[in-house]
Amino acid sequence: MGGLQKKKFERGSATNYITRNKARKKLQLSLPDFRRLCILKGIYPHEPKHKKKVNKGSTAPRTFYLVKDIRFLLHEPIVGKFRDYKVFVRKLKKAYAKTEYSDVERLKDNKPTYKLDHIIKERYPTFIDALRDIDDALCMCFLFSTFARTGKCHVQTIQLCRRLTVEWMNYVIASRSLKKVFLSIKGIYYQAEVMGQLITWLVPYQFSHDHPTDVDYRVMATFTELYTTLLGFVNFRLYHSLNLVYPPKMDSKSDLELKGEDEEDYAMDSESYLEVRLFLYFQDCSFNVFFQEDMENMEAREKEQKQQETQTKLFEGLKFFLNREVPRESLAFIIRCFGGQVSWDKSVCIGSTYDATDETITHQIVDRPNIDKQYISRYYIQPQWVFDCVNAKILLPVEDYFMGVTLPPHLSPFVEEKEGDYVPPEKLKVMALQQGKKPEDEDEEDEEGEDEEEEDDNDDDEEDEEEEAEEKSLKKMEEQRSQVKVTPGKVKVENPARLEQEQKAEEKRLAIMMMKKKEKYLYDKIMFGKKRKIREANKLAAKRKAYDDAEKAKKKKARK
Amino acid sequence: MALPLYPERDSQKKKSEIPFCFPNMAAARRLKRVVASQPGFLPIKSPSEPVSTRRKRVNKNRKKNWNKYSDINDVEEFLEDVRLQERTTGGLLSEKTDDSLFFLDAGQPEKVEQEAPGPAEGKKRKGKASRPLRIDLILQHDSLVPPPKDVLAYQQPNAKKLRRIAQKAEQLAAKGVVPRRQKQLLNRRPVERTVKKAVTEANNNPDRDYYDIWGQESKDSGDPWYLQQTRKKLVKRPEKLNEKPSVLPAVEVIAPGGSYNPDFFSHQALLQEAHEVEVKKQKEEDKIVRQITVNKEDTATEETIFQEQVEGLVEEENEEEETAPDDEEESVVVGAIAVAEKKTERQRKRQRADKIKEQQRLADRRQVDQRQQLFQLRSIKASIKQQEKATAVRQIKRKVKQEAQKAQPRRLGRLKFQPQDLEVQLSDELAGSLRQLKPEGSVLKDRFKSLQKRNLIEPRERAKFKRRHKVKYVEKRAFRAIT
């Protein structure tokens, strides 16, 4: 009998995995530090296929990591920084306890910090990789920038997030790359196309935070730490792609002027500074992106451009004024994304360019049932109009969105209907408008009452007509019976297109006939599925019509 | 008004007996004068006061006895009187001028004058703000004797010496001589207070600067072996780590029914979905409730209890009936055991022959079958094809299942992933306009759950606060006193 006895759990999957606690001990880190390291380095737990084998026969649920991943973590220089930080905290505590404040100062000056630059470079080897992963970063930064400064996270983090998000919005405006907007009950979804990548992000409504207790703020802060670094580098690159200076600089003169003006209105200098920055960015965005392109690409892109041009210049030439009750930042962002001019009341925020009394304003965005002083020269519309216009890619008729009017539903632009799906009538209307047709429903609805009256008159006429027609046909039949006559032949006009169609249909019919039994069965099944879908869509449409009719009837009653 | 007259006698007596123990000379001197002058407030001693006729003889050779047996009441009374005078009038009455002590009584002042300002004052004092509180009045210093000066507050240790030093320094400064200590300080090199911020800049510094991280090529300066050994070069990240642990997108857009002003049908669809989730939850809860409820049949009623108690005491007839068949069974069983008999040689031979014959038969059969299969080739092929098809279908199914699994959250720890509650606004909760919109759910929670759903972090729950020692409740005394 030769050889050693094989021991259990010394080969196979048991050696590939390591539990979290063991990994933590191997790295000599505390659990929070370990978790932070994993998040920063992008190392995630794994679920082994055979838990019992990995867990040395036990079935207790545990968190597992791959041994190779942990071994990779051992080389990370940040691990050393974490350990340094631990020592730093210990020393600081001791100094405090001994009331040696000079020591405290000295220690604080030498606080160990770390940089995440190399991790960004390592995790996202190319710029496109980073851009693909920017969704998360944007969501997180927008979220953190709306936090109140109440100590849930560092104020500095909030400020940094705000700066980065403002820079990002500025880029989107400059490149005119916003595609879709969706106002949901959760927040506002935006979608932009940056360098061929579709980027979606979610922005919470302002002041909507109740801080949920079951969220680990430490984890979120760690993610934000990574994402702020990432977003900063991405912003830098994007700005340079537009030939812009990255840490966007403004004229010191105008800066000073603005600061001087609004010093009384704003409590915090830093805050007003940020706002000024935001405002100035938007102002500077008048530069032309389209003329900067190389001559070589010009021809190839010309077609695309033309298509997009109408879209990106949607609001060009329009002058908006935002009332104080509408969400200022999102509206200003969107309007500027599509080339419109926008301003607001001076007391609302910094950066208003013209007053409400300006006669050249074309649209005033209002979200209240009525307003005291109205100008004839402008439309008073509800904010949804702006969002719907962006999604429809055309300027929608303003009548549906007038002040105090019940709004049409705000449809999600993220839904793409397949053939045969139910399409809400509002969308159909928009589609028709996009193809350049005139809105017909509007007139119908307005003149509905008159139509019905007319219809009543028509009904009687129709009955008479029907009787007459019957008589006529009977007469003809009689005539045909009594007389046999040779009439000149008519030339049959052959429509080649129709013939072709018929032939095709015939061929198809024959092909179906020639199918094998099995294939036929499958074919029938598919066709049945299609028909069912259509039937369902029709059902929904009918339901909708019934609903609409009921609503109309109600309205009418109310009017009477 | 008139002052009471005091007898001369007392003051005369005091003159001889005032102990010479005043804190300072000034007071003593004044007292001397007092003694010479008129007496103060001291009341007349009643003549009925009993005076001890017999003198007690005591040894006065000890200080203790002096204190004990000398009568100092009259002195104390006198001093008390002096202090009272000082407290109330600010000095000794005898030293006061007559004008300050007496006034001319000119009868009742006129009432008319008093009444006129009365209402006016009342109007003024509507707020009663000007009147001090009684508690403040009580605490006010009402003695006319000024509080003694705190001597220590004015004294300075080594005052003379310090004064001299200051004078000397002044003289030197006038001459333009700088003292040595100051000279040393002036000669010291100024400390360079350079800002070390470049080293200790935090990651979340709002003004931090960025650079083109993807543009620059890494400098491969130096020997790679050296760089690796000195940890100058970072270890290459394995490709596998760049794979995402889930195929789900980072941002899942809410269903169209989640619009702030939704289309009727999409809203209904979303509500339906939320409803189904709720129903499922409710079912699970109901199931648990059902499982833990006590079955009514299992509980003991009086009847069952009684039956248990009389079990085996009655119904003997049935037992007899039951025992009868038992006997038969027993006999059968016994017979079965007894069967084990030995086989004869003949039987064995026969069995062996049978076995061989059977084997032969089966072999023949197999051969025939195989030969026959030649003619069944077509059907066999068909069956194989069928099997293969079935396998392919199963493979596809499995693959689809695996793909679906990729989008599912994995079990990464002790807890399972709990999906977030669907954000839904009921039809009556929907806001008519953007201004009235009440946002539903929390974006923060949404992001957190998304991270969990994509297997980036394991689901955890908040650490519970564990008390080490039991809390002891004690009724406080104050509380008891009130009730």
Side-chain angles (χ1 to χ4, degrees), chain A residues 20 35 41-47 51 61-63 65 69 72 75 77 109-111 113-118 120-127 130 133 135-136 139-140 143 147 154 156-157 159-160 163-164 182-186 189 200 202 204-205 208 212-217 219-220 223 225 228-229 232-234 236-237 246 325 327 367-369 383-384 407-412 414-415 422 424 426 518 540 543-544 547, chain B residues 193 196-218 231 233-245 249-266 270 389 402 405 409-415 420 422-425 430 432-452 454-462:
Chain A
R20 189 181 62 189
R35 197 168 275 137
K41 287 287 275 184
I43 282 166
Y44 310 117
H46 270 259
E47 187 188 30
K51 271 186 202 164
R62 287 220 174 88
T63 309
Y65 287 86
D69 291 359
F72 171 64
H75 296 286
D109 282 346
N110 295 322
K111 186 177 170 182
T113 51
Y114 54 88
K115 286 272 168 208
L116 297 176
D117 303 2
H118 66 280
I120 297 290
K121 174 83 189 190
E122 179 190 287
R123 285 183 65 173
Y124 307 104
T126 64
F127 175 58
D133 228 25
D135 290 18
D136 250 336
C139 283
M140 210 66 116
L143 174 65
F147 275 178
H154 290 288
Q156 287 198 320
T157 310
Q159 279 173 348
L160 179 62
R163 172 195 154 188
L164 290 172
F182 179 43
L183 293 169
S184 79
I185 48 175
K186 222 194 262 181
Y189 288 92
T200 317
L202 171 62
Y205 290 112
S208 69
T213 50
D214 49 353
V215 171
D216 194 342
Y217 279 83
V219 166
M220 298 304 265
F223 271 108
E225 193 179 1
T228 49
T229 316
F233 286 124
V234 167
F236 185 94
R237 186 76 183 234
Y246 170 61
E325 70 270 12
D367 201 356
R368 53 175 91 175
Q384 197 190 316
L407 291 167
H410 177 64
L411 301 172
S412 171
F414 293 96
V415 181
Y422 167 72
E426 286 83 9
K518 222 174 252 171
L540 275 176
K543 245 182 166 178
R544 168 76 192 215
Y547 172 77
Chain B
R193 290 246 172 243
K196 274 198 219 162
K197 263 182 187 168
V199 185
T200 60
E201 192 180 286
N203 246 335
N204 58 0
N205 179 20
D207 294 324
R208 65 168 292 186
D209 53 343
Y210 297 96
Y211 52 92
D212 194 0
I213 199 169
W214 291 286
Q216 60 190 21
E217 284 301 306
S218 55
R231 294 204 164 187
K233 206 170 95 183
L234 291 172
V235 177
K236 200 173 163 282
R237 185 181 174 89
E239 275 298 309
K240 215 179 173 189
L241 276 180
N242 286 336
E243 284 171 14
K244 282 182 186 166
V251 183
E252 281 174 290
V253 180
I254 195 169
S259 163
Y260 94 99
N261 179 15
D263 173 41
F264 177 70
F265 285 111
S266 47
L270 186 68
K389 237 179 212 171
Q402 279 171 357
Q405 275 291 314
R410 321 228 61 120
R411 178 76 182 261
L412 293 176
R414 201 164 55 79
L415 296 172
Q420 202 185 354
L422 269 179
E423 285 101 351
V424 159
Q425 281 188 335
L430 282 173
S433 71
L434 198 55
R435 176 171 54 89
Q436 290 158 333
L437 170 69
K438 263 189 196 163
E440 191 75 21
S442 157
V443 176
L444 182 67
K445 199 170 176 191
D446 172 67
R447 295 321 303 158
F448 188 61
K449 285 285 178 188
S450 166
L451 292 174
Q452 286 186 352
R454 284 181 283 148
N455 303 325
L456 300 187
I457 48 177
E458 72 272 18
R460 284 192 315 147
E461 63 185 358
R462 212 190 163 108

Side-chain angles (χ1 to χ4, degrees), chain B residues 123-141:
Chain B
K123 270 177 197 170
K124 246 189 217 167
R125 268 190 220 155
K126 236 176 190 175
K128 283 187 176 178
S130 57
R131 219 160 88 190
L133 292 173
R134 183 167 165 71
I135 191 163
D136 292 334
L137 287 174
I138 290 168
L139 288 174
Q140 238 171 21
H141 183 75

Side-chain angles (χ1 to χ4, degrees), chain A residues 50-235:
Chain A
H50 304 291
K51 271 186 202 164
K52 207 170 163 186
K53 277 183 194 166
V54 172
N55 212 354
K56 314 254 157 95
S58 156
T59 50
R62 287 220 174 88
T63 309
F64 291 101
Y65 287 86
L66 286 174
V67 170
K68 278 185 181 171
D69 291 359
I70 300 301
R71 222 176 281 149
F72 171 64
L73 278 184
L74 282 170
H75 296 286
E76 179 55 44
I78 281 185
V79 177
K81 293 281 183 191
F82 282 163
R83 293 187 197 130
D84 285 351
Y85 195 80
K86 197 176 71 182
V87 174
F88 160 75
V89 169
R90 200 168 55 210
K91 281 181 182 166
L92 198 68
K93 262 188 191 165
K94 200 168 186 177
Y96 259 122
K98 287 183 166 180
T99 64
E100 288 166 348
Y101 293 112
S102 59
D103 278 8
V104 169
E105 284 300 307
R106 180 178 51 76
L107 284 170
K108 273 185 181 170
D109 282 346
N110 295 322
K111 186 177 170 182
T113 51
Y114 54 88
K115 286 272 168 208
L116 297 176
D117 303 2
H118 66 280
I119 289 183
I120 297 290
K121 174 83 189 190
E122 179 190 287
R123 285 183 65 173
Y124 307 104
T126 64
F127 175 58
I128 290 296
D129 288 332
L131 212 53
R132 267 182 210 139
D133 228 25
I134 204 81
D135 290 18
D136 250 336
L138 281 171
C139 283
M140 210 66 116
C141 286
F142 271 103
L143 174 65
F144 267 68
S145 66
T146 57
F147 275 178
R149 296 163 194 205
T150 50
K152 286 277 181 195
C153 61
H154 290 288
V155 174
Q156 287 198 320
T157 310
I158 296 171
Q159 279 173 348
L160 179 62
C161 283
R162 174 83 184 138
R163 172 195 154 188
L164 290 172
T165 52
V166 164
E167 281 166 6
W168 168 261
M169 285 201 288
N170 182 37
Y171 168 76
V172 171
I173 289 169
S175 62
R176 299 268 171 102
S177 47
L178 191 71
K179 292 280 174 262
K180 292 172 182 174
V181 199
F182 179 43
L183 293 169
S184 79
I185 48 175
K186 222 194 262 181
I188 307 175
Y189 288 92
Y190 293 96
Q191 193 172 60
E193 193 177 345
V194 178
M195 305 212 158
Q197 303 289 331
L198 278 179
I199 291 165
T200 317
W201 70 96
L202 171 62
V203 181
Y205 290 112
Q206 231 157 5
F207 314 125
S208 69
H209 283 294
D210 52 331
H211 282 285
T213 50
D214 49 353
V215 171
D216 194 342
Y217 279 83
R218 214 158 25 170
V219 166
M220 298 304 265
T222 312
F223 271 108
T224 311
E225 193 179 1
L226 176 75
Y227 286 146
T228 49
T229 316
L230 172 64
L231 188 57
F233 286 124
V234 167
N235 274 350

Side-chain angles (χ1 to χ4, degrees), chain B residues 341-380:
Chain B
E341 267 176 35
K342 232 183 174 183
K343 283 179 193 166
T344 59
E345 192 65 19
R346 210 168 142 205
Q347 273 174 331
R348 281 180 203 283
K349 258 186 188 168
R350 188 169 190 135
Q351 269 182 350
R352 211 175 296 144
D354 280 352
K355 204 176 171 187
I356 289 166
K357 214 174 175 184
E358 180 65 21
Q359 278 174 354
Q360 188 68 41
R361 195 180 64 80
L362 283 174
D364 284 349
R365 179 74 202 226
R366 228 172 286 139
Q367 224 167 10
V368 171
D369 275 354
Q370 271 175 1
R371 227 175 287 144
Q372 209 62 18
Q373 274 179 356
L374 254 181
F375 305 106
Q376 293 173 351
L377 263 182
R378 275 184 65 177
S379 68
I380 289 170

Side-chain angles (χ1 to χ4, degrees), chain A residues 170 174-175 242 244 281 283-290 292:
Chain A
N170 182 37
S175 62
L242 292 183
L244 294 175
Y281 290 172
Q283 286 293 297
D284 287 341
C285 285
S286 49
F287 49 78
N288 280 316
V289 187
F290 299 108
Q292 287 180 348

